């Protein structure tokens, strides 16, 4: 009977291995959803998204610098744009086909911060401390910041040759690599 209730019987192996980390991050994800809901109602709640916005824009800036997209300006001061808000921006002055996607999709790297915090806090065995409550508030905005904006996706499309190169490599590997 005990084997029927084991983790492996109910969930995939990766979930069993990282269940502590997922459980640790669950309050942060819920808090992120609350922050998103509140910030849609009133601009005051943008204060809670500031850490995530800074990480989002720093990801653009850093990857833009590494790929030669030449970041020109950087801001995390929210401003009204039409019916919505722009929480921050990085101006890239040399976007080309080879660096558009990496620089524009760099915010995906932001999700590594919550994962690293969860790995750090749950590795030797997890025991709740007050630090974990503070970390939940610090990590929550990162979940909101790890998805590229609509403008980021439009810029990433400039790297369409990457799709052809990747598809060609995948087809070649599939044909001759096995």
């Amino acid at each position: 009977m005990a084997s029927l209730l084991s983790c492996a019987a109910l969930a995939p192996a990766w979930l069993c291995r990282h269940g502590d980390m997922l459980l640790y991050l669950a309050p942060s994800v819920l808090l992120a959803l609350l922050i998103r809901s509140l910030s849609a109602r009133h601009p005051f709640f943008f204060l809670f998204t500031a850490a995530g916005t800074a990480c989002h824009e720093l990801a653009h800036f850093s990857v833009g610098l590494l790929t030669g997209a030449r970041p020109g300006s950087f801001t995390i001061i929210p401003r009204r744009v039409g019916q919505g808000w722009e929480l921050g921006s990085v101006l890239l002055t040399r976007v080309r086909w080879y660096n558009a996607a990496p620089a524009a999709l760099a915010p995906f790297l932001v999700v590594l911060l919550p994962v690293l915090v969860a790995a750090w806090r749950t590795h030797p065995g997890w025991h709740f401390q007050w630090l974990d409550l503070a970390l939940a508030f610090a990590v929550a905005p990162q979940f909101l910041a790890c998805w590229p904006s609509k403008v980021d996706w439009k810029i990433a499309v400039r790297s369409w040759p990457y799709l052809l190169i990747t598809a060609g490599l995948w087809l070649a590997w599939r044909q001759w690599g096995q």
Side-chain angles (χ1 to χ4, degrees):
M1 180 70 175
S3 65
L4 291 176
L5 298 176
S6 71
C7 181
L10 301 172
W14 67 268
L15 182 62
C16 295
R17 282 193 309 271
H18 303 296
D20 286 348
M21 287 176 48
L22 295 172
L23 183 62
Y24 183 85
L25 291 173
S28 295
V29 170
L30 294 174
L31 190 56
L33 295 172
L34 178 65
I35 290 169
R36 182 177 176 93
S37 173
L38 292 174
S39 64
R41 288 178 170 65
H42 195 277
F44 169 77
F45 294 101
F46 286 146
L47 290 174
F48 296 107
T49 64
T53 301
C55 289
H56 179 104
E57 301 305 337
L58 279 171
H60 285 307
F61 188 90
S62 302
V63 174
L65 199 62
L66 290 172
T67 60
R70 290 190 192 153
S73 66
F74 174 91
T75 183
I76 58 166
I77 299 171
R79 68 184 184 107
R80 193 84 155 139
V81 177
Q83 296 294 325
W85 288 87
E86 180 182 87
L87 301 181
S89 66
V90 172
L91 175 66
L92 301 173
T93 60
R94 192 168 188 264
V95 176
R96 302 290 186 259
W97 70 269
Y98 56 87
N99 62 12
L105 302 178
F108 282 131
L109 297 173
V110 173
V111 81
L112 293 176
L113 291 172
V115 170
L116 290 173
V117 168
W120 165 56
R121 295 300 298 154
T122 62
H123 176 63
W126 180 40
H127 301 288
F128 178 80
Q129 297 176 351
W130 288 106
L131 173 64
D132 296 313
L133 184 61
L135 287 172
F137 277 93
V139 164
Q142 309 316 317
F143 285 112
L144 299 175
C146 70
W147 192 257
S149 67
K150 289 178 186 176
V151 173
D152 297 339
W153 285 105
K154 287 178 184 176
I155 292 170
V157 171
R158 293 184 188 176
S159 286
W160 66 266
Y162 271 136
L163 295 174
L164 297 177
I165 293 168
T166 304
L169 290 173
W170 180 77
L171 287 172
W173 174 79
R174 190 164 178 220
Q175 182 69 26
W176 296 291
Q178 295 181 350

